[in-house]
Amino acid sequence: MKLYLDPGHGGSDTGAQGNGMNEKDINLDISLRIRTMLTKQYHDADVTMSRTDDSSKRLSERTDEANAWGADYYLSIHCNSFNGSAQGYEDYIHSSLSDTSATADYQDTIHTAVAKADQLADRGQKKANFHVLRETTMPALLTENGFIDNDHDAALMRDSSWRHDVAQAHVTGLANAFHLKPRKTSKTLYKVIAGSFKDNQNAENRVYHLQSEGMDAFVEAVTISGERWYRVQAGAFSNRENAERQLEKVKNAGIADAFITAE
């Protein structure tokens, strides 16, 4: 399955804004997690992204690129806004499509997975005449993952663990929709830990630093000896040598206290 993954907005186009956050940043963070999870967890998942950093790209460039590549599916990741009063999750397919189309079937499957896991009010499955839904030659879906100007939704968006869960829910939906075969996992998983913190904001700052260095990372809340800690994970590998290489990259990024755990 060839997935064209589109983090909405970027560069000078911030998208929606609220609670000190820009939509473009949330979209990119969730999308990068989707790419990593999908390719590591499933066979036959090939992902191309419209952007992998904070860069500008016209809508026509995105759809032209997906069409030329011959993508099987187009997934556009967004957040919403509406004067602070609205909240919840919704997704869109093109308004010309019937409820019995293949695109609608994919929407059903992905919507079910995301709405189940995202802790947001379910605003339903919708249709619209958005460019990325209209100008793509393959089935396409645009997801709106909460309202950035709503206090409840924004508090979730700010949490790296929530963005991780939302990304995983999209991956689960894609895997169910396209019947992807999971990769076999080894008995031992080597995780690169780039710091543990009592303060979640300190952990989030470490994540942002690693992402600025081109590395995927997320915060995992763990309980150790009855105390709550926020642990930053910068990769998980079935092969110890790959974990060691990632650890070296993390340390070269200035994280001297990074280490590997074997689970």
Side-chain angles (χ1 to χ4, degrees):
M1 190 268 287
K2 296 171 67 174
L3 172 68
Y4 189 88
L5 183 57
D6 176 26
H9 308 285
S12 59
D13 177 10
T14 63
Q17 294 179 301
N19 291 285
M21 296 181 291
N22 293 323
E23 179 192 354
K24 65 176 183 177
D25 299 324
I26 303 299
N27 298 344
L28 179 60
D29 184 89
I30 293 173
S31 297
L32 288 170
R33 294 170 190 268
I34 290 173
R35 180 184 66 175
T36 298
M37 294 173 183
L38 188 64
T39 55
K40 286 187 176 181
Q41 294 174 10
Y42 294 95
H43 289 287
D44 302 324
D46 190 4
V47 180
T48 289
M49 294 180 63
S50 61
R51 63 184 181 95
T52 57
D53 56 18
D54 186 20
S55 56
S56 298
K57 199 166 194 176
R58 295 191 305 275
L59 291 176
S60 59
E61 291 181 288
R62 301 174 195 232
T63 53
D64 287 350
E65 191 172 79
N67 293 339
W69 184 48
D72 297 312
Y73 199 62
Y74 190 108
L75 177 61
S76 191
I77 303 298
H78 286 259
C79 304
N80 225 327
S81 68
F82 185 76
N83 72 27
S85 62
Q87 63 183 97
Y89 168 79
E90 60 194 24
D91 46 45
Y92 292 83
I93 61 174
H94 192 254
S95 52
S96 66
L97 296 169
S98 73
D99 293 340
T100 58
S101 65
T103 301
D105 287 343
Y106 293 144
Q107 181 186 29
D108 289 344
T109 302
I110 295 171
H111 182 97
T112 298
V114 178
K116 181 180 179 180
D118 63 9
Q119 304 176 56
L120 297 171
D122 186 352
R123 295 172 59 88
Q125 299 168 234
K126 301 184 178 183
K127 298 178 182 181
N129 189 31
F130 298 143
H131 175 96
V132 297
L133 305 178
R134 182 182 66 249
E135 301 300 326
T136 42
T137 58
M138 72 292 302
L141 180 73
L142 185 147
T143 66
E144 293 278 8
N145 297 278
F147 284 72
I148 201 168
D149 60 347
N150 176 269
D151 291 344
H152 170 270
D153 290 8
L156 291 172
M157 291 180 196
R158 193 172 283 111
D159 186 344
S160 178
S161 297
W162 179 84
R163 299 192 301 272
H164 172 84
D165 291 343
V166 168
Q168 182 62 70
H170 279 78
V171 168
T172 299
L174 288 164
N176 291 340
F178 288 91
H179 307 291
L180 301 180
K181 294 181 180 179
R183 295 182 182 275
K184 292 182 180 179
T185 57
S186 66
K187 293 182 180 180
T188 303
L189 189 66
Y190 300 98
K191 297 182 178 180
V192 178
I193 306 303
S196 295
F197 304 87
K198 295 299 292 292
D199 187 333
N200 184 47
Q201 187 57 56
N202 291 335
E204 293 284 357
N205 292 341
R206 178 63 57 84
V207 167
Y208 293 141
H209 173 68
L210 289 168
Q211 290 177 343
S212 72
E213 296 289 332
M215 286 176 276
D216 293 335
F218 65 91
V219 177
E220 179 184 25
V222 296
T223 301
I224 302 174
S225 300
E227 291 188 300
R228 188 76 160 178
W229 290 84
Y230 297 95
R231 191 167 67 175
V232 177
Q233 184 174 314
F237 305 87
S238 59
N239 183 288
R240 177 81 189 199
E241 292 181 359
N242 291 337
E244 294 285 358
R245 283 194 288 269
Q246 179 71 352
L247 178 64
E248 184 177 358
K249 287 176 61 180
V250 171
K251 290 188 172 182
N252 287 340
I255 312 300
D257 58 341
F259 60 93
I260 294 173
T261 63
E263 299 181 2

